[in-house]
Amino acid sequence: MAQRRPYNTGMIRKVVMHNFLTYEDVEFSPGPRLNVIMGPNGTGKSSIVCAIALALGASPRILGRADNILEFVRTGKEEGFVEVELHDARKGKTRTVRREIFKKSKQQNKWFLDGRVANEAAVKAVVKDDFNIQIANLCTFLPQEKVGEFSAFDDVGLLKETEKALGGDALAERHEELVEVEKELATVERRKAGMAEVVENLEDQKRQLEPDKKKLEKRAEHLRKVDVCKTKILWLLFDEKREKAIAKKDAQADKQKDLDLKRTELEPLVRKEKKAQKEIDKFHTTFQSCSQKQQTDIESLATAQEKYEQAKDAVEDARTSLENSGTRRATAEANLKKQQASLKDVETQIRTWIRNEFPDDDSAASRSLEDVIQKAKTDASRLRPAATDAHFKAQEAADAAARAQSDLREPNEQLRRATQLVNDLKDVRSRRLNDIAKTRVGNQCVEMKKWIDANAGKFRYKVYGPCCLEVSAKEPEDRAVLEAHVGNWIWNSFVCSCKSDYDQCVRRTDKDDNFDQVNFLLAQGFQDEDMSQQQQQQQSQHRDREASYSAEFVKSHLEPFGVAGTLYDLCEAPAPVLKALDDFARLRSAVYGGEALRDALNDRQKSALEKNLMSIGGYVAFVVAKNRRGMIELTRFQGIRSRYQKQDVALVVNTLPQKTRSILGEPCDPKELAEAEESLQAATRRTEEATVEYQKLSAEVKKVKEVARKAKEELDRVMKEKDQFAAAAKNKRNAQTRVKQAEDKVDKADEDERRDKAKHTRALEAAVERTLKAFAEAVKLQRKVCDWNLEAAAGFVSRDVARHRKQRVSAELAERKKETKDLEVEVANLQEDFDAAKVAAKKAKLTAERDAPLTKPEIQKDQVLNDEYEALPETVDEVEQIQDTEDNEAKNIYDNPGVLQRYKALEKKLEEESQKVASMDKDLETHKSKLDDLKGPWETTLRTALAALKTKFAEYMGSLDARGDVDLFEGPTFDKWGLLIKVAFRDTAPLSKLEAHVQSGGERSVSTIMFLMALQAHMPSPFRVVDEINQGMDEVNERIVFKRVVANSTGPDAPQYFLITPKLLANLEGIDHPDVTCCVVFNGAYNLKRKFDLDAFLQAAKKKRIKPAAAGAGGGNDDMDDDDDDDDDDS
């Protein structure tokens, strides 16, 4: 075997792929020159191209297969990587670039350079700068999907790609820069022309405005004089106001002097008035003193008179007592008779009680009241022990009943707990409600249910929900299937029967953020008030036909294959809830069955079942089974029709884990329920026994209490009679005492009568004496009161005389004060007039300062204005005449303020635009100079490269017995420059542009390949990759092209070359060249149709000097085919 040629810098020594596209793990080492990679379609040839490109920093878009790097990871894997080892002859070593791809990581790519972590920019810099590898250049990487794209370039696009190939990015970038500079130059020229036209228009407009401008300036002069007049008038008005204010101030000062004189004249009169007032006060004090003393004596006189009247009354009383002293004996005798009658009544009542107490006793008349009382005491002593005993027995019975009632509480509580436990075990709905309340969504559903129940009267129909409370299924397997198929959001949703109820519920959730997770379902057409019954029925039938299995269809077409029915058959719920579940979860579009259905679905040859299931467009089937531990196992089969091949059905199979918590609620454990019911029965028995005992004791308590009550009543009656008898004895003793006292009073009445007469006689004499003394004292006080009356009258007269004298002085003083007050008013009025005049003057000044068109400082600064102002008259009328004259002159000139504004704006705009034109002239020269500087080097480089390319292309086309040429097309602008490929395949035919309507498809294809190889010959790159360029060629052209590939990629100075092809013709010239390495790819589980002897194949390969590539572990890619036409899915 000939010695292999050395690797040059930048050539690939090894390629490694892990979980990349169809490869699981593979690596191969290409040869240093031509590498022919062959293999059937779908084995992963183009995957090698993708691996090399992506590892060296290419974007997925360059390959034309996918836009996302994650799509290159092997199906079913979460990560993969590609690695390329590059030779560096300068340093005598290799450089390794590795790119790892992660599906679920935030960082999709991870780069390594020589085993160290790097970033994408560093990797691209090494690839481009150190090894001169142009990843984005189609002459370096020409994937299968880009071959046709290259041949479809127009002239302009072809020139751009040729520039990239001949001069790298620099030549193409200089061309782009030329295009941009030329566009900028054209833009500047257009802007300059536009600006020049604008300047000319501005100058013309300015000339047209000149006459109007002069008129307006004249008008402005008249208006300026008007402003001077207005200013003069305002200040003259101010001067007038100021003079008036000064006059008012002088008049006020004169009146103030008169006022001060009047105030001086008032002082003597004020002193006289005060002196008169003192005299009045003196006489008034004397009068007051006499009046007070008089009043004191009058009060003493009244007291004396009262004593006199009292003495008179005492005389009368003494005389009356003396006359009445003989009546006392008669009164005492009457009282004695009364008390004796009372004693007789008491004795009669006592004898009656004795006869009643001893009715059968003959000696009752000889018995006394003490005997009756003693008998009552004896009866009470006899009855008291019996009553006490009955009371204690009643208390003991009540205590026993209370203990029985207390003992009954524990059995009752046990009975309540047992009853609650049994009810809870039987009430699945309550357990479901408690379960869903444990989550945030479920808690919102519970609160919403409370609101719906509280407002039930506001809805037209009943609102059901949540659905998990309304639905029931008999068997655990049925519940498992329903929970696996229906989404949790549906289970937690409420169902409305009509649109108005639905809208009301939705408005409630919109108002309250606490219900943001609550959903409402409308059972379409169930109770819709906008649809007739016939429309609802038609709509329901249409939906049934559209995407559901009818019962007849299931029985006739699906049951033979093990289908037990639809999920609709498993569900028990109110009609609106069933309707909503069918609308949103498509219960009648999903079927279920057992192992027979699993076997039928796994056997894809039974196309009849799949055809029947796919009759509604797609299907979902559940297989229900139990494992050895009795656990329910669910398997979900879903058939999906292909969007591209309508006759193909993709089957997705998922084994569903059993849920730890059942949404529909597990039924209670029968054993637990039996134990609870047994506990309930035991608690019931204990409660009944305790109740019977309590009732028995309660009845006994009633009997004992009745006996105790009767004993107590009898004792109370006897004690009451005893008390009555004792009271009667006491009344008798009291009556006897009163009779004795009455008799004593009669005996004493005679002696008292004699003693009282003497006493009353003495009292009468003393009263007469007091009466005489009181009369004498009253007469004395009466005379004293008369004396004080005379003295008080003299003081009263003197006070009135002093008052009359003061009135005369006060009248004169009041007259003087009035005159003074009038002067004060005049002074105040004058002050107000002065203040008003002063305010008016200030206001006039402020008005002048505010409203005057010109201020005094402005007038003083401008000599012309100052002269005009000083020359004006000093009267308002004369100035107003001048103002009217100037104003009329100004009005005779039409006012058009826009003219001056436009004129000034035109002047400013003209200046700005002129400066811009001057600036654009400089900018234009700069762009022209820059364009010339760029064009020369670029065009020279391009034409020089194209000259060599023309020769090489003509040579390559000559090997096909054809002619070829390349011409540079100079467009009107640099962005229109293009490259023309001209070919002729017949001797007599002239060279013509390579176009679809001139040459055949094969001619265009081979011409494009020859042009690409001619470009590659001039492109400095360490390796090139071409994928399936021989597709569509006839045998002759394919042999010629292969020969050219061999010629360009073999030899000591040739680059490394990768030629990807699914096949090669036999006996190709150059295939046995020592620089040619053939790699045969057999990747995939089904590529070797018969038994393959690897050892024999390797021996034969060694003899032919063909190096086989290591075959990667088979495995297909479900997401993306390796080739876009014939790749197989080898899953």
Side-chain angles (χ1 to χ4, degrees):
M1 181 179 292
Q3 183 68 30
R4 172 178 285 186
R5 295 187 186 276
Y7 289 88
N8 296 329
T9 298
M11 290 184 177
I12 297 174
R13 296 294 301 267
K14 184 168 64 174
V15 178
V16 180
M17 291 174 282
H18 171 68
N19 289 335
F20 184 78
L21 291 175
T22 60
Y23 291 100
E24 183 176 355
D25 281 294
V26 69
E27 68 176 57
F28 80 99
S29 299
R33 297 298 181 265
L34 176 59
N35 293 273
V36 180
I37 301 176
M38 298 177 293
N41 287 329
T43 57
K45 304 183 301 299
S46 297
S47 299
I48 298 174
V49 178
C50 297
I52 295 173
L54 294 176
L56 296 180
S59 171
R61 294 185 179 87
I62 294 177
L63 303 172
R65 295 174 67 103
D67 293 338
N68 194 338
I69 187 67
L70 301 181
E71 297 185 32
F72 289 88
V73 178
R74 179 181 171 87
T75 300
K77 303 297 182 180
E78 300 300 331
E79 60 181 38
F81 69 82
V82 289
E83 182 178 292
V84 172
E85 187 177 310
L86 299 174
H87 186 73
D88 191 347
R90 296 164 299 185
K91 298 181 180 179
K93 65 176 184 178
T94 59
R95 303 288 299 275
T96 303
V97 179
R98 178 178 175 134
R99 184 176 189 174
E100 295 184 355
I101 309 169
F102 303 94
K103 276 188 176 181
K104 292 189 176 181
S105 175
K106 292 183 180 179
Q107 182 182 6
Q108 296 179 353
N109 295 303
K110 192 172 183 180
W111 298 86
F112 293 87
L113 189 59
D114 294 333
R116 295 181 179 179
V117 177
N119 55 40
E120 185 176 357
V123 171
K124 289 183 177 179
V126 170
V127 170
K128 181 179 180 182
D129 300 337
D130 294 357
F131 297 104
N132 196 26
I133 299 173
Q134 302 177 23
I135 299 297
N137 197 318
L138 291 180
C139 292
T140 299
F141 277 94
L142 188 62
Q144 175 183 348
E145 291 80 0
K146 295 290 185 177
V147 174
E149 182 180 323
F150 193 93
S151 61
F153 283 133
D154 59 3
D155 299 342
V156 176
L158 186 61
L159 176 60
K160 290 181 180 179
E161 293 300 322
T162 303
E163 286 177 319
K164 292 179 183 179
L166 294 177
D169 293 337
L171 188 61
E173 289 172 357
R174 283 199 295 272
H175 188 184
E176 291 296 329
E177 190 176 0
L178 273 171
V179 171
E180 293 300 322
V181 172
E182 188 177 42
K183 288 180 180 179
E184 292 174 1
L185 178 61
T187 301
V188 173
E189 289 178 342
R190 288 194 301 271
R191 289 176 60 195
K192 179 188 175 184
M195 289 297 175
E197 184 177 355
V198 169
V199 169
E200 185 176 353
N201 291 335
L202 291 174
E203 290 176 345
D204 185 45
Q205 294 176 24
K206 181 180 176 183
R207 286 191 297 271
Q208 293 176 2
L209 292 176
E210 287 289 348
D212 293 336
K213 171 180 171 289
K214 291 180 181 179
K215 290 181 181 179
L216 290 172
E217 288 176 346
K218 185 66 176 174
R219 183 177 183 279
E221 183 178 356
H222 288 301
L223 292 177
R224 178 175 56 77
K225 291 181 179 180
V226 169
D227 290 341
V228 173
C229 291
K230 288 180 179 180
T231 305
K232 184 72 173 181
I233 290 170
L234 290 172
W235 285 109
L236 287 174
L237 292 174
F238 164 67
D239 292 338
E240 291 179 1
K241 300 288 185 184
R242 184 178 59 182
E243 293 298 331
K244 289 182 180 180
I246 293 172
K248 294 289 184 182
K249 185 178 181 181
D250 294 341
Q252 189 266 348
D254 293 339
K255 285 293 180 182
Q256 185 66 41
K257 291 178 181 178
D258 295 341
L259 176 61
D260 294 339
L261 180 60
K262 285 290 183 182
R263 287 173 177 171
T264 303
E265 294 174 354
L266 285 177
E267 293 179 1
L269 291 175
V270 172
R271 286 195 295 272
K272 287 182 179 181
E273 185 181 36
K274 289 181 179 180
K275 182 179 179 182
Q277 183 63 41
K278 287 181 179 179
E279 291 180 353
I280 292 172
D281 294 340
K282 175 183 176 183
F283 291 125
H284 179 71
T285 301
T286 302
F287 171 72
Q288 287 291 103
S289 176
C290 294
S291 297
Q292 290 176 359
K293 293 177 179 178
Q294 181 185 13
Q295 184 64 31
T296 302
D297 291 340
I298 290 173
E299 292 175 357
S300 299
L301 177 60
T303 301
Q305 290 175 347
E306 184 178 357
K307 289 181 179 179
Y308 172 71
E309 292 296 330
Q310 290 176 354
K312 285 175 65 178
D313 292 339
V315 171
E316 186 64 26
D317 290 341
R319 185 182 63 79
T320 300
S321 297
L322 183 62
E323 291 176 355
N324 292 333
S325 59
T327 63
R328 183 171 300 174
R329 178 179 174 79
T331 302
E333 291 176 350
N335 184 46
L336 175 60
K337 291 180 181 180
K338 179 180 178 182
Q339 296 302 326
Q340 289 173 345
S342 176
L343 175 61
K344 185 177 181 181
D345 291 338
V346 171
E347 290 176 345
T348 301
Q349 182 180 12
I350 290 172
R351 283 194 298 271
T352 302
W353 283 346
I354 292 172
R355 285 195 298 271
N356 291 337
E357 287 297 320
F358 303 99
D360 299 329
D361 193 349
D362 295 337
S363 61
S366 62
R367 292 186 179 272
S368 63
L369 184 60
E370 284 74 10
D371 296 334
V372 176
I373 294 174
Q374 184 61 39
K375 182 178 180 298
K377 289 181 178 180
T378 302
D379 293 341
S381 298
R382 178 177 52 83
L383 293 174
R384 185 175 289 109
T388 303
D389 184 60
H391 171 73
F392 284 127
K393 288 182 178 179
Q395 186 64 39
E396 290 174 357
D399 293 341
R403 288 193 297 273
Q405 185 179 17
S406 177
D407 295 339
L408 184 59
R409 291 195 188 98
E410 183 176 356
N412 280 336
E413 179 63 21
Q414 293 175 354
L415 177 61
R416 187 192 64 77
R417 289 198 296 267
T419 303
Q420 182 65 37
L421 177 60
V422 172
N423 291 337
D424 291 344
L425 291 174
K426 291 182 178 180
D427 190 359
V428 178
R429 185 182 180 92
S430 297
R431 287 193 287 113
R432 292 184 192 174
L433 192 63
N434 292 332
D435 287 343
I436 67 174
K438 296 176 182 178
T439 63
R440 177 173 177 266
V441 176
N443 188 51
Q444 290 187 7
C445 292
V446 172
E447 294 301 322
M448 176 54 69
K449 179 170 177 57
K450 292 179 182 177
W451 178 82
I452 291 173
D453 293 342
N455 296 272
K458 298 181 181 179
F459 299 105
R460 295 190 60 185
Y461 303 98
K462 180 179 179 180
V463 178
Y464 299 89
C467 289
C468 62
L469 298 183
E470 309 293 347
V471 177
S472 62
K474 294 182 178 179
E475 301 298 333
E477 295 83 353
D478 301 343
R479 290 193 292 273
V481 171
L482 288 173
E483 291 176 5
H485 181 69
V486 181
N488 286 343
W489 72 274
I490 297 179
W491 289 126
N492 291 329
S493 298
F494 293 82
V495 177
C496 299
S497 301
C498 66
K499 186 66 167 55
S500 60
D501 291 347
Y502 174 82
D503 293 339
Q504 184 177 354
C505 293
V506 171
R507 285 194 297 271
R508 171 60 179 168
T509 58
D510 292 342
K511 291 179 182 178
D512 196 339
D513 292 340
N514 292 327
F515 298 125
D516 58 342
Q517 300 294 323
V518 177
N519 297 309
F520 288 90
L521 307 179
L522 177 60
Q524 292 287 347
F526 190 80
Q527 292 287 358
D528 198 335
E529 57 267 28
D530 297 330
M531 298 176 62
S532 65
Q533 185 175 0
Q534 183 178 2
Q535 289 174 330
Q536 296 173 17
Q537 186 176 3
Q538 291 175 354
Q539 186 186 70
S540 177
Q541 291 175 354
H542 174 70
R543 284 197 295 268
D544 290 345
R545 291 194 303 270
E546 185 181 49
S548 63
Y549 303 114
S550 64
E552 295 79 6
F553 184 84
V554 172
K555 185 173 183 180
S556 60
H557 293 80
L558 301 181
E559 280 188 2
F561 297 98
V563 174
T566 65
L567 268 60
Y568 191 86
D569 304 331
L570 303 177
C571 199
E572 296 180 4
V577 178
L578 279 176
K579 185 68 176 60
L581 287 175
D582 192 29
D583 288 344
F584 291 92
R586 300 185 64 188
L587 296 182
R588 285 185 288 188
S589 301
V591 298
Y592 72 97
E595 294 295 342
L597 178 59
R598 185 196 304 274
D599 297 338
L601 290 171
N602 285 332
D603 188 358
R604 300 296 297 279
Q605 299 303 320
K606 291 186 178 180
S607 58
L609 172 59
E610 190 167 81
K611 180 180 179 181
N612 293 337
L613 289 173
M614 292 299 296
S615 62
I616 61 173
Y619 68 85
V620 174
F622 289 91
V623 172
V624 187
K626 287 191 176 181
N627 58 20
R628 296 177 180 178
R629 294 179 296 174
M631 303 287 289
I632 298 173
E633 289 186 349
L634 285 181
T635 306
R636 183 176 184 270
F637 294 81
Q638 183 176 9
I640 305 173
R641 192 179 298 281
S642 172
R643 291 180 296 176
Y644 308 103
Q645 301 294 331
K646 299 299 183 181
Q647 69 277 11
D648 294 340
V649 177
L651 180 62
V652 180
V653 182
N654 292 317
T655 299
L656 305 178
Q658 186 171 12
K659 293 187 178 180
T660 57
R661 185 173 64 87
S662 175
I663 296 175
L664 296 180
E666 294 289 347
C668 65
D669 186 359
K671 182 178 179 181
E672 184 180 0
L673 179 60
E675 292 177 353
E677 290 178 342
E678 183 178 351
S679 299
L680 176 60
Q681 293 174 359
T684 303
R685 287 194 301 272
R686 288 192 297 272
T687 303
E688 290 174 351
E689 292 173 356
T691 302
V692 169
E693 181 65 20
Y694 171 69
Q695 292 174 350
K696 178 180 177 181
L697 291 175
S698 297
E700 184 66 23
V701 167
K702 289 182 180 179
K703 293 179 181 180
V704 175
K705 282 187 176 180
E706 181 64 21
V707 172
R709 183 185 65 78
K710 291 180 179 180
K712 187 176 183 303
E713 287 180 354
E714 182 65 17
L715 177 62
D716 291 342
R717 183 187 63 79
V718 172
M719 293 301 296
K720 182 177 181 183
E721 290 179 353
K722 180 179 76 66
D723 294 338
Q724 288 177 346
F725 296 154
K730 183 178 179 181
N731 291 336
K732 180 180 179 180
R733 289 192 299 272
N734 292 336
Q736 291 173 346
T737 301
R738 287 194 296 274
V739 169
K740 183 67 172 64
Q741 291 174 352
E743 291 175 348
D744 293 340
K745 286 182 179 180
V746 170
D747 295 338
K748 191 179 179 183
D750 293 336
E751 184 179 354
D752 291 340
E753 183 177 355
R754 292 190 297 271
R755 189 174 57 252
D756 289 342
K757 283 183 179 181
K759 178 182 177 182
H760 293 318
T761 301
R762 289 192 298 273
L764 178 61
E765 293 173 352
V768 170
E769 185 178 357
R770 287 196 301 275
T771 303
L772 294 175
K773 288 181 180 180
F775 179 76
E777 182 67 22
V779 171
K780 180 181 178 182
L781 289 173
Q782 184 67 41
R783 292 194 187 99
K784 198 173 181 181
V785 168
C786 292
D787 294 340
W788 287 120
N789 279 337
L790 292 174
E791 188 175 351
F796 180 77
V797 171
S798 300
R799 186 187 64 180
D800 288 344
V801 171
R803 283 180 176 175
H804 180 67
R805 188 163 52 248
K806 181 192 174 186
Q807 286 176 356
R808 291 198 304 271
V809 175
S810 297
E812 184 178 0
L813 180 61
E815 182 67 23
R816 297 294 181 87
K817 283 184 177 180
K818 182 176 180 303
E819 293 174 358
T820 305
K821 186 66 175 178
D822 292 340
L823 282 175
E824 288 177 350
V825 172
E826 289 184 19
V827 170
N829 291 336
L830 289 173
Q831 181 66 37
E832 291 179 358
D833 293 343
F834 168 65
D835 293 339
K838 184 168 65 172
V839 170
K842 289 182 179 180
K843 186 175 181 181
K845 183 178 180 182
L846 292 174
T847 302
E849 292 174 345
R850 183 186 70 244
D851 297 341
L854 300 171
T855 63
K856 284 191 175 182
E858 291 176 347
I859 295 173
Q860 293 170 357
K861 289 180 181 178
D862 191 334
Q863 187 61 39
V864 176
L865 288 176
N866 190 53
D867 294 342
E868 290 179 353
Y869 185 84
E870 296 297 336
L872 289 173
E874 295 299 324
T875 64
V876 174
D877 293 338
E878 292 176 332
V879 177
E880 285 181 345
Q881 291 179 359
I882 297 173
Q883 176 185 339
D884 293 341
T885 302
E886 295 295 335
D887 192 31
N888 290 332
E889 291 293 334
K891 289 179 179 179
N892 290 332
I893 302 173
Y894 175 69
D895 182 20
N896 190 0
V899 171
L900 288 176
Q901 294 176 2
R902 289 198 300 275
Y903 189 85
K904 292 179 180 179
L906 285 173
E907 284 185 330
K908 183 177 180 181
K909 187 70 174 177
L910 185 60
E911 181 179 359
E912 292 175 354
E913 297 302 325
S914 299
Q915 292 176 355
K916 289 181 181 179
V917 171
S919 175
M920 286 182 182
D921 288 336
K922 296 179 181 178
D923 197 13
L924 192 62
E925 292 299 325
T926 301
H927 280 78
K928 286 181 178 179
S929 175
K930 184 176 181 181
L931 189 65
D932 293 338
D933 294 341
L934 290 172
K935 179 183 177 183
W938 169 78
E939 187 175 3
T940 301
T941 303
L942 179 61
R943 291 188 181 278
T944 301
L946 286 178
L949 179 62
K950 287 164 63 76
T951 303
K952 188 68 70 176
F953 181 60
E955 176 186 348
Y956 290 175
M957 291 298 293
S959 64
L960 298 172
D961 292 332
R963 288 172 291 146
D965 192 10
V966 178
D967 284 342
L968 181 65
F969 170 72
E970 298 184 13
T973 56
F974 285 108
D975 60 341
K976 302 297 183 183
W977 281 42
L979 191 67
L980 300 178
I981 300 177
K982 298 180 179 179
V983 295
F985 285 88
R986 286 167 290 280
D987 294 339
T988 58
L991 288 169
S992 60
K993 183 180 176 182
L994 186 64
E995 292 180 312
H997 63 277
V998 178
Q999 291 83 16
S1000 66
E1003 290 174 342
R1004 292 199 310 277
S1005 177
V1006 72
S1007 299
T1008 301
I1009 296 303
M1010 288 301 179
F1011 180 76
L1012 283 171
M1013 289 195 295
L1015 273 179
Q1016 290 177 343
H1018 290 278
M1019 184 188 71
S1021 180
F1023 66 86
R1024 298 174 180 86
V1025 180
V1026 180
D1027 191 1
E1028 298 192 16
I1029 61 173
N1030 54 347
Q1031 295 301 307
M1033 294 184 187
D1034 57 20
E1035 181 178 348
V1036 174
N1037 286 333
E1038 185 174 350
R1039 291 182 181 276
I1040 295 173
V1041 168
F1042 185 78
K1043 181 179 179 181
R1044 174 50 53 194
V1045 170
V1046 172
N1048 285 0
S1049 58
T1050 57
D1053 298 324
Q1056 191 179 34
Y1057 209 102
F1058 294 86
L1059 176 63
I1060 314 296
T1061 179
K1063 62 182 179 61
L1064 284 177
L1065 297 173
N1067 301 319
L1068 287 172
E1069 183 177 350
I1071 190 65
D1072 56 351
H1073 192 283
D1075 289 344
V1076 177
T1077 301
C1078 291
C1079 302
V1080 181
V1081 181
F1082 284 102
N1083 177 41
Y1086 305 104
N1087 280 306
L1088 299 178
K1089 302 299 183 182
R1090 59 184 179 275
K1091 187 175 181 180
F1092 181 68
D1093 189 347
L1094 180 60
D1095 294 334
F1097 174 77
L1098 293 176
Q1099 291 298 327
K1102 290 178 181 178
K1103 292 179 181 179
K1104 296 181 179 181
R1105 298 190 301 277
I1106 299 177
K1107 181 179 180 181
N1117 190 313
D1118 294 336
D1119 297 332
M1120 182 180 68
D1121 292 339
D1122 186 67
D1123 294 317
D1124 60 2
D1125 51 0
D1126 299 329
D1127 288 359
D1128 295 327
D1129 182 5
D1130 299 328
S1131 59

